[in-house]
Structures are given as C-alpha cells and as structure tokens.
Amino acid sequence: MLLSVVIPTYNRLPILKKCLDALENQSLNDKVQNFEIVIVDDGSTDETVSWLRNNFETYPHLRLFEQSHGGPALGRNLGVERSRGDIIVFIDSDLVVDRYFLINHVDSLFKAWKKLGNRRCFTYGSVINTSNFNCPNSEPFKLQDLSWAYFATGNVAIDKNVLEISGLFDTSFRLYGWEDLELGERLRNMGVKLIKCPKAIGYHWHPALALDQIPHLIRIEKERAKMGLVFYRKHPTWRVKFIIQYTFIHRCLWEFLTFGGLINTKTIRPLLAFLIKNGQQGAAMELLRLPLNLIGVRQIFREASLLGLR
C-alpha cells in the first residue's frame, strides 16, 4: 500500500529539513512498503524551493509542487490531487515525527477498517508541542498537549476516497485557522469516525516566546476570529459556536479573567519580559493567552456584528 504524506509549507525551511529527515527515517512493514512525501510550497519567499530542488537525491520519497501564496487549505487540496497513495497522511511542515509514525497510523487504520467493515474513519495521532529546535523529539508529553479537536491536520491519516467524497478543504479559509476543523464537521456529519492513535507521535516545533512575537500573535488571533465566522456561517450550530468561542460564556470568561481588559499585552509586558529572561517562556506564553483570548473573542463579536450575525 502506498501512503502519501501531504505537507503544505511556507517559509519554514530550517524546521522543514528536520521534518523531512524524520520522514526519510521511517520504519516500514508489510502493510507500508512504500510512501511519498508530497510537499506543496505556498509561495515561499525564502530558499525553500531552491533547496528542495537541489536535494531530491537526499530525500528520494520527495515530490514538490508549487502554488502562489493561497493558504494551507489550497495547498493541501493540491497535494491530495497530485498524490498517488491510497491513504493520505496530513502533517504540518513544523512537525518532526518519530520512527514508527507511519506504521502506527496504518496499523490503527487496518484494525478500524476490519472492525467497522468499511473505511469511514481516520486516525488522529499525538502532537507534542516543543520549542527545542535542536532535539524536538526530546520533549515529554504535557497536559497542555491534549487536544479535543475532531480533525486536525497536524497529525491525521485517512483513506483518500473517503477524503475526496467529503469535498476536501474549503479554500475560502485563506487566513489563519479553522479549515481543518471545518472539514472535520463535514466528516462527522458523514459518519466518519475518529480513531485515536497515540503511538503516532509528532513533535510540533514553534520558537520559544519572545516579546517581538506579540504583534504577530495578535494578528493571528484576529485572523482566527474572521475565519471562525466563515466556519460558523457554514455550520451555524451551538457546537461550532463553542469551538470558535462565539458565546457570551466565553466573552464573560475572558473579560472576567483579564479584569475587563486591564490585563492586556501592554500591562503584562514587564512580567512577560521577567519570565522570559529567567527561562520561563512556557509560563509567559500561558499568561499571554489571557489577553490574546480576549482579543480574539472581542474581534469575533465585532466581526459578527458587522455581518449581522447572532
């Protein structure tokens, strides 16, 4: 059986190299005798494309496709369309997987297919967040790594035919966030079952928090708010409202926890600087999440008002 690992990427060359090294180091078995790595470059402005073109011999499973910058949904769709495999595995380009990643996904899929009598399911692996660039797979699993998402493209595997029947990703999600969870809602409505696969481990690298990242993180929250409403307009249910935090419960929660916005990215900046200076970037990030959540919730209510939503 041929697997296709589909990876959209945009300006992430340093960690992408580690991602590819880990994939080329996979252990295979009788069920997984071959695989391909389908990279879709989303208009990178760094050296990603030229470096990949010069390293096909180093990465024999690699296939490269390019598109103008249009977002990960468009990139994943192109990757699926150009893929040759029976099973599609989605990961992000900042994910470093362990040696048995692919066979653990496939073993779990085969067991589920046999039990269900069909292929209407997908496997969802473990994602461990880390800021350790030199050795990302040294990070232990933490409580913060738990995810309640139904379908998240950081680490999933699914039968290609089932995926194509779902309609693939909605390319109207051009900004950050929600395109994978929206597809998850459609899969859920089709009766496609989630199969947990904790042994398929991926280490999600992101740089340790620095103060100069705050404007970018604020922008991401505002983009998530806009895309959250695209999600809600397609699936106007209470479930989706809770997922995107478009409820008065969430509005009241984050207003309360930030004392009506008195705790904000400016007022806590000295404390963040102190924590970062003392090597407590993780604690600083958890503290920063308070005002970031408030920014996101306020933005989504503001956008909803402009759109006339309730």
Side-chain angles (χ1 to χ4, degrees), residues 18-291:
K18 291 183 179 291
C19 173
L20 292 175
D21 287 341
L23 285 170
E24 288 291 352
N25 194 38
Q26 290 294 289
S27 290
L28 304 181
N29 61 15
D30 59 330
K31 297 189 187 81
V32 187
Q33 297 179 355
N34 200 6
F35 67 96
E36 62 177 3
I37 305 169
V38 182
I39 295 284
V40 179
D41 183 80
D42 189 30
S44 292
T45 56
D46 61 5
E47 301 298 317
T48 296
V49 172
S50 60
W51 184 86
L52 289 172
R53 286 175 177 167
N54 290 327
N55 283 276
F56 282 117
E57 290 186 4
T58 305
Y59 303 103
H61 295 93
L62 175 63
R63 299 174 64 214
L64 173 63
F65 301 96
E66 300 174 55
Q67 66 179 29
S68 298
H69 189 51
L74 191 67
R76 292 190 186 101
N77 284 354
L78 176 59
V80 173
E81 289 164 7
R82 301 295 179 89
S83 67
R84 300 166 176 163
D86 308 288
I87 295 172
I88 303 296
V89 180
F90 288 115
I91 66 171
D92 293 330
S93 58
D94 54 3
L95 198 82
V96 179
V97 302
D98 79 353
R99 184 175 177 83
Y100 305 100
F101 177 78
L102 292 179
I103 61 175
N104 279 322
H105 267 301
V106 172
D107 284 346
S108 293
L109 278 174
F110 271 62
K111 289 176 184 177
W113 292 348
K114 184 177 181 180
K115 181 178 179 180
L116 294 170
N118 59 59
R119 295 192 175 191
R120 298 171 72 84
C121 65
F122 64 91
T123 48
Y124 189 1
S126 300
V127 175
I128 298 175
N129 293 290
T130 180
S131 58
N132 186 336
F133 179 81
N134 292 324
C135 192
N137 57 0
S138 65
E139 189 80 19
F141 186 84
K142 307 170 292 300
L143 186 62
Q144 299 97 307
D145 296 324
L146 287 172
S147 172
W148 307 108
Y150 190 72
F151 184 88
T153 47
N155 185 346
V156 292
I158 187 169
D159 176 78
K160 183 177 181 178
N161 185 57
V162 172
L163 182 63
E164 289 176 332
I165 291 171
S166 76
L168 302 182
F169 295 90
D170 184 340
T171 56
S172 60
F173 290 88
R174 295 184 64 86
L175 302 178
Y176 184 89
W178 305 119
E179 76 281 348
D180 48 355
L181 273 73
E182 189 279 323
L183 174 56
E185 284 300 296
R186 283 183 274 135
L187 291 169
R188 178 192 289 271
N189 293 336
M190 288 169 55
V192 179
K193 297 184 180 298
L194 181 159
I195 307 297
K196 290 286 188 179
C197 184
K199 291 184 179 180
I201 301 171
Y203 298 86
H204 178 210
W205 178 82
H206 44 82
L209 180 64
L211 293 180
D212 61 4
Q213 295 173 17
I214 292 176
H216 170 72
L217 294 172
I218 291 172
R219 178 177 62 80
I220 289 296
E221 284 302 317
K222 291 182 177 181
E223 289 187 1
R224 278 169 53 87
K226 290 178 181 289
M227 295 300 97
L229 290 177
V230 174
F231 188 5
Y232 176 64
R233 293 177 81 177
K234 288 195 68 176
H235 305 275
T237 65
W238 273 102
R239 170 183 163 77
V240 172
K241 269 195 165 188
F242 268 84
I243 290 173
I244 66 173
Q245 299 197 94
Y246 178 38
T247 73
F248 281 102
I249 294 173
H250 292 97
R251 182 71 183 265
C252 292
L253 173 66
W254 298 116
E255 293 283 356
F256 173 75
L257 291 176
T258 60
F259 297 95
L262 291 176
I263 297 176
N264 57 57
T265 57
K266 292 181 179 179
T267 58
I268 65 171
R269 192 178 180 93
L271 180 54
L272 293 176
F274 173 81
L275 291 170
I276 292 170
K277 183 179 179 181
N278 287 275
Q280 299 295 318
Q281 289 91 343
M285 188 67 236
E286 292 305 312
L287 176 61
L288 183 57
R289 290 188 196 281
L290 294 175

